[in-house]
Amino acid sequence: MGQGAFIFGCEGVTLSPREAAFFREAQPWGFILFARNVETPEQLRSLTNALRETVGRDAPVLIDQEGGRVQRMRAPHWREFLPPLDQVQQASDPDRALWIRGRLLAEDLHSVGIDVNCAPGLDVAREETHPFLKNRCFSEDHGMVARMGRALVEGMAAGGVAPVMKHLPGHGRGTVDSHKGLPHVHATRAELAEDFAPFEALSDLSMGMSAHIILDAIDPHRPATQSPKVIELIREEIGFDGLLMTDDISMGALEGKVPERARTALAAGCDMVLHCNGDLAEMEQLAHLGAMSEKAQSRADHAAHTRPSHQPIDITALADEFSRT
């Protein structure tokens, strides 16, 4: 049986028998965890093991652990990190600080069986960027965004965690929170080139996440996640040939019922649907989407097989250095 064209979450801190049976049948490519799934290191290790057992393979387990507002694993069990923008602005050596940050993040994730982090965010911050996103960006300079993104990715890789760059092809000009509504960007094609630049610089990464945002200059009618024109641009102009997953398919930016949203995104060229809220009824509907296309499965296999291996390091010394960078 082929792997499903979807990544699913679960409702709580343990798997229910119904969830386990569903995942066994549906065979999602991977899983994503949120704060509702996180209690203690022991509990989280048990949950990631249980998720993989349902599908009978070493399925990728994802989380959003950016730092700042977006970190699902928090003190007292795990490290707390500054928002990315604050980290870069305060660091005496930003490149080193972001590498160490990535390595420390990875240590926390790897220790509980999580091997994919939905980071780096490569959106370019602007004066008008909506507050939901702004301090999650690295910088207002696209070259600096690319540099910091690369440093974070390399640090995470040393700790055995793969990245998902987001939000392709750039969400920084959005003035609406896409969890609640659909941002509409009126910038010219030439202006958008700055937004695309960090993704182009990291186009060798194996996974990326689409943006729920309308870019008038490319496709004034459909959000990037559901736009064949934007996804062609991601593939051809930005040069990203990795696994392209949607941002959460249940977010307020998209219209229509969840299965319809998902079908439109896959038809537009996304490889995989990300479903985050743990609603079993919605996931059961999405399971009817079936297996990935041959090309998507090839990209998914590459992403799974190239997850980095964990390299031991003196974490105490590294954390001490981090406090001084």
Side-chain angles (χ1 to χ4, degrees), residues 79-108:
R79 295 171 182 85
E80 297 270 350
F81 293 90
L82 290 170
L85 192 64
D86 297 353
Q87 183 86 70
V88 172
Q89 289 173 345
Q90 294 180 23
S92 57
D93 181 351
D95 297 86
R96 179 63 178 165
L98 267 291
W99 187 94
I100 299 175
R101 179 185 174 107
R103 182 62 187 80
L104 294 175
L105 278 167
E107 192 70 14
D108 284 349

Side-chain angles (χ1 to χ4, degrees), residues 139-161:
S139 175
E140 295 186 1
D141 176 80
H142 64 84
M144 189 66 164
V145 171
R147 261 179 59 201
M148 296 301 95
R150 181 65 73 182
L152 186 82
V153 163
E154 290 180 352
M156 291 197 306
V161 171

Side-chain angles (χ1 to χ4, degrees), residues 161-177:
V161 171
V164 180
M165 63 176 177
K166 59 189 187 187
H167 306 84
L168 281 149
H171 206 304
R173 294 178 194 268
T175 56
V176 173
D177 180 351

Side-chain angles (χ1 to χ4, degrees), residues 201-230:
L202 276 77
S203 61
D204 57 300
L205 299 187
S206 64
M207 286 178 277
M209 182 186 294
S210 67
H212 297 336
I213 192 168
I214 284 187
L215 305 176
D216 276 353
I218 314 299
D219 185 343
H221 305 296
R222 289 186 181 274
T225 295
Q226 298 176 321
S227 168
K229 291 179 181 176
V230 176

Side-chain angles (χ1 to χ4, degrees), residues 139-308:
S139 175
E140 295 186 1
D141 176 80
H142 64 84
M144 189 66 164
V145 171
R147 261 179 59 201
M148 296 301 95
R150 181 65 73 182
L152 186 82
V153 163
E154 290 180 352
M156 291 197 306
V161 171
V164 180
M165 63 176 177
K166 59 189 187 187
H167 306 84
L168 281 149
H171 206 304
R173 294 178 194 268
T175 56
V176 173
D177 180 351
S178 55
H179 294 87
K180 300 174 181 175
L182 180 59
H184 217 105
V185 172
H186 307 294
T188 66
R189 181 72 179 255
E191 288 168 334
L192 289 173
E194 283 190 5
D195 300 40
F196 303 159
F199 296 100
E200 191 173 347
L202 276 77
S203 61
D204 57 300
L205 299 187
S206 64
M207 286 178 277
M209 182 186 294
S210 67
H212 297 336
I213 192 168
I214 284 187
L215 305 176
D216 276 353
I218 314 299
D219 185 343
H221 305 296
R222 289 186 181 274
T225 295
Q226 298 176 321
S227 168
K229 291 179 181 176
V230 176
I231 292 174
E232 181 183 14
L233 178 145
I234 289 168
R235 296 303 192 193
E236 301 300 326
E237 188 172 323
I238 290 175
F240 175 64
D241 192 39
L243 180 70
L244 182 63
M245 64 186 72
T246 71
D247 202 346
D248 182 8
I249 204 70
S250 297
M251 283 164 62
L254 303 181
E255 294 182 341
K257 294 184 186 295
V258 166
E260 176 192 332
R261 298 175 180 196
R263 277 191 289 271
T264 305
L266 293 174
C270 285
D271 296 313
M272 188 163 301
V273 173
L274 179 63
H275 183 272
C276 296
N277 65 19
D279 184 313
L280 188 55
E282 284 187 2
M283 292 189 288
E284 286 171 343
Q285 292 178 314
L286 287 174
H288 295 298
L289 293 170
M292 284 178 272
S293 69
E294 189 176 336
K295 182 67 175 172
Q297 185 72 61
S298 174
R299 292 182 178 123
D301 288 346
H302 176 74
H305 295 155
T306 55
R307 282 174 288 178

